[in-house]
Amino acid sequence: MADSSELLIRARDAAKQKRNGLAVMLLRQLAQENPPLGQRWGAAAQLAASLQDMWTAAEAQKRMVETGRRDTASRLSLARFLHESGQFEPARAEIEALYEDDPGNVRVVYASAYINARLQNDELAIERYREAALMDPRQSVAWAVMMRMKKATEGDPDIDHMRRAEAQLTEEKAPLRAPVKYGLGYAMEHLGDYDSAFSLISEGSHLMHEHHQYNRTRMASVLQGLKNACPPEMIANAEGHDTDRPIFVVGAPRAGTTLVETILNAHSGVVGGAELPFMTVASYPAQNAASESPGNTDAALKRMLGPDAWKKIGATYATLGAERFGPTGKFVDSTTTTPWQMGFILSAMPNARIIWMTRNRADALWAIYKVLFAVSQTFSYDFANIQDRLNWIANLRDHFAEIAPQSQILRVNYEDLARNPDEWIPKILSHCNLEYEDSVRDFHKSDRIVSTASFAQVRQPISTKSIGSWRRYEQHLAPIYREVIGPDYESES
């Protein structure tokens, strides 16, 4: 057995050298051996989380807390890692115990709101978001999230609360001022004041855009590099793992991926789903190979892992899936980065099923623009940048659709699904080798966890009310769309 300190040091060194796959392996070896690291488990947990190995992060953080390190920050990290690794009830129990133990701590209140929202405890989540925002105006994101969970009415006191917060935050940085603008914009939309809603949401987006820039040139280089790293012959000849458990639901944000994930989750043969980091973790060796040998990823990867390299990557993904969802049943992966990983997925798991969602471009742009996404989605704060990102996703979709076997990828248009669910839900299930069940039509009644920006919407029955929603703002959007999409913006998808 290697010295425990040495394993942790080697993992840190590997991560610094961007050998993330090795770092994950060493951290997992450390967790398996379970040496008496004491509070150094906290460093192991933070490193695992930075590598997106949330299961190992949760295990390491649990061990640190068990050593007696039960300060608020440590327990907050434990609740977060438990939640992000899919251990939802332990996460809720930890955060609610902490809420009782450290009353008045705004970070705890906000974390409680966040976790309860994902567990569909909506009333409690709204109450806690409001509590956090009133305790500290700088918790302004709470207003934006809360106003997407509730419907504002005339005389709603939360509108006055937000206006006071807006005034209190005047001198703060843009990322703290912007969320209140979004929250007020959502409230005005609820009240039917679409001019004010557009103005407020645009103010919030401009604040975020000024503070978080999106580099189109760099993104184009990255995405073209990914296509070059995964040529057709590599995917055709790769010998991947035989797992048929994963169902990848792919597409741009707000294109209906969460809707399809939730429909599938209502099936008895599907044991769960989420935005999962598994492919990022499993494909670290392939990422390194593509970086080191851009024109010959396959050969570089096989030098690293051996002739069965793609099978090993698929096996790693399957292992991560089994840790979270158990050994049987299909599961859904709706990670927003999946389009960039598609070449690796096709090579490593030829039996996985892929559903690629598309949506009318006019609706898609507005749906993305109006949501306050995390700062990792910097493109979402500007219409031209959103158009650029959607064009690239469409480019990758068409590229890989030509390469993959026809039976592996099913393209589903959101509008078709919403208008004709009786036609498209059976098609989706058949594509995933699942028998039809009536339960999937009542997906909105499921108690499965939803962890995306669409968590509130998918608790409603399927409907067409989101189709054409941009038209409420047509006088504002039409000139923008003519510029960023073109004269045929209404028919683009």
Side-chain angles (χ1 to χ4, degrees):
M1 180 186 297
D3 178 76
S4 58
S5 297
E6 181 188 344
L7 282 174
L8 183 54
I9 292 168
R10 287 173 59 197
R12 282 174 173 163
D13 289 344
K16 288 178 182 176
Q17 297 166 18
K18 300 190 182 302
R19 299 172 67 196
N20 292 342
L22 176 59
V24 168
M25 184 190 72
L26 292 167
L27 288 170
R28 285 182 160 251
Q29 182 181 345
L30 188 68
Q32 184 176 21
E33 294 180 2
N34 194 18
L37 276 183
Q39 294 188 10
R40 285 177 296 172
W41 279 116
Q46 294 298 327
L47 180 56
S50 73
L51 297 167
Q52 299 191 53
D53 184 0
M54 303 313 300
W55 191 269
T56 302
E59 288 301 305
Q61 192 71 14
K62 270 192 275 188
R63 292 169 192 176
M64 192 194 77
V65 171
E66 287 167 359
T67 67
R69 181 74 179 270
R70 296 188 58 78
D71 58 282
T72 295
S74 297
R75 293 173 66 189
L76 272 172
S77 291
L78 175 58
R80 178 169 75 87
F81 298 157
L82 287 168
H83 178 268
E84 293 185 15
S85 64
Q87 300 176 72
F88 299 114
E89 281 303 326
R92 185 201 61 79
E94 183 64 38
I95 200 64
E96 291 308 304
L98 190 51
Y99 183 86
E100 296 296 325
D101 293 344
D102 192 0
N105 187 308
V106 70
R107 294 175 60 214
V108 173
V109 176
Y110 187 92
S112 172
Y114 178 87
I115 289 174
N116 277 289
R118 270 55 186 177
L119 290 169
Q120 302 192 34
N121 300 326
D122 290 357
E123 289 188 14
L124 180 57
I126 290 169
E127 177 187 321
R128 296 277 167 85
Y129 276 128
R130 183 184 296 113
E131 182 182 351
L134 292 176
M135 287 172 67
D136 182 355
R138 291 171 297 179
Q139 295 293 323
S140 53
V141 172
W143 292 120
V145 178
M146 189 182 78
M147 296 311 296
R148 294 188 66 243
M149 296 183 67
K150 60 169 280 187
K151 187 174 180 65
T153 56
E154 290 288 351
D156 192 324
D158 284 328
I159 296 176
D160 290 333
H161 292 322
M162 286 188 285
R163 285 174 174 151
R164 281 194 290 273
E166 186 180 27
Q168 291 171 317
L169 294 166
T170 302
E171 302 301 320
E172 295 288 350
K173 293 181 178 179
L176 293 178
R177 291 154 50 208
V180 183
K181 303 286 188 182
Y182 282 91
L184 283 166
Y186 302 152
M188 294 304 103
E189 183 177 66
H190 300 160
L191 298 175
D193 184 353
Y194 299 121
D195 289 341
S196 295
F198 186 85
S199 176
L200 286 159
I201 291 169
S202 293
E203 287 181 49
S205 294
H206 290 154
L207 287 169
M208 295 300 290
H209 177 58
E210 289 172 7
H211 198 79
H212 300 288
Q213 294 297 311
Y214 173 77
N215 189 325
R216 289 188 219 168
T217 302
R218 179 180 177 277
M219 183 56 63
S221 175
V222 168
L223 295 179
Q224 187 60 50
L226 287 172
K227 288 172 63 176
N228 295 341
C230 301
E233 60 272 16
M234 182 189 86
I235 293 171
N237 295 324
E239 296 183 5
H241 193 270
D242 62 1
T243 181
D244 64 353
R245 297 188 67 194
I247 302 170
F248 292 94
V249 182
V250 190
R254 313 290 290 154
T257 54
T258 304
L259 172 62
V260 172
E261 176 195 331
T262 311
I263 289 170
L264 288 166
N265 272 338
H267 194 282
S268 64
V270 177
V271 292
E275 293 186 5
L276 304 170
F278 299 165
M279 197 61 204
T280 296
V281 175
S283 67
Y284 279 140
Q287 295 170 43
N288 286 345
S291 176
E292 293 174 11
S293 185
N296 203 343
T297 302
D298 189 61
L301 180 64
K302 288 174 179 175
R303 284 196 297 271
M304 292 179 189
L305 299 183
D308 58 348
W310 291 112
K311 185 177 292 186
K312 288 178 179 175
I313 288 175
T316 299
Y317 184 97
T319 297
L320 295 170
E323 283 179 346
R324 177 154 177 169
F325 299 113
T328 60
K330 295 183 181 293
F331 58 88
V332 183
D333 188 337
S334 60
T335 310
T336 57
T337 56
T338 301
W340 331 138
Q341 301 166 337
M342 187 54 61
F344 298 154
I345 291 168
L346 295 172
S347 299
M349 290 173 285
N351 295 327
R353 285 293 175 261
I354 298 155
I355 299 167
W356 205 305
M357 299 298 298
T358 65
R359 187 178 184 183
N360 171 268
R361 188 60 64 95
D363 271 335
L365 259 73
W366 174 242
I368 293 170
Y369 184 79
K370 71 180 284 190
V371 173
L372 176 58
F373 282 100
V375 294
S376 60
Q377 307 277 21
T378 54
F379 70 91
S380 65
Y381 312 133
D382 175 81
F383 283 109
N385 289 340
I386 297 170
Q387 174 72 351
D388 180 74
R389 176 61 68 96
L390 296 186
N391 283 342
W392 265 108
I393 292 174
N395 182 293
L396 291 171
R397 177 196 67 214
D398 295 343
H399 173 75
F400 287 114
E402 290 182 3
I403 296 173
Q406 289 186 350
S407 62
Q408 196 167 6
I409 300 179
L410 175 68
R411 181 170 169 176
V412 179
N413 177 264
Y414 171 79
E415 288 78 15
D416 291 340
L417 173 59
R419 290 186 177 115
N420 300 297
D422 290 336
E423 174 186 352
W424 278 96
I425 289 176
K427 284 184 180 179
I428 290 168
L429 295 176
S430 176
H431 177 70
C432 300
N433 298 316
L434 295 167
E435 296 291 331
Y436 182 81
E437 293 178 354
D438 290 337
S439 61
V440 298
R441 286 304 307 270
D442 294 326
F443 65 89
H444 57 286
K445 298 178 181 178
S446 171
D447 59 0
R448 296 280 177 88
I449 308 304
V450 178
S451 59
T452 74
S454 304
F455 65 88
Q457 287 85 338
V458 295
R459 294 174 191 166
Q460 304 298 321
I462 195 167
S463 75
T464 58
K465 66 182 181 181
S466 292
I467 297 176
S469 58
W470 73 274
R471 291 190 181 278
R472 298 170 187 161
Y473 303 89
E474 187 167 5
Q475 64 173 326
H476 303 287
L477 291 174
I480 297 171
Y481 284 180
R482 277 193 289 271
E483 180 180 349
V484 302
I485 302 177
D488 297 327
Y489 59 84
E490 294 187 55
S491 61
E492 290 289 321
S493 63

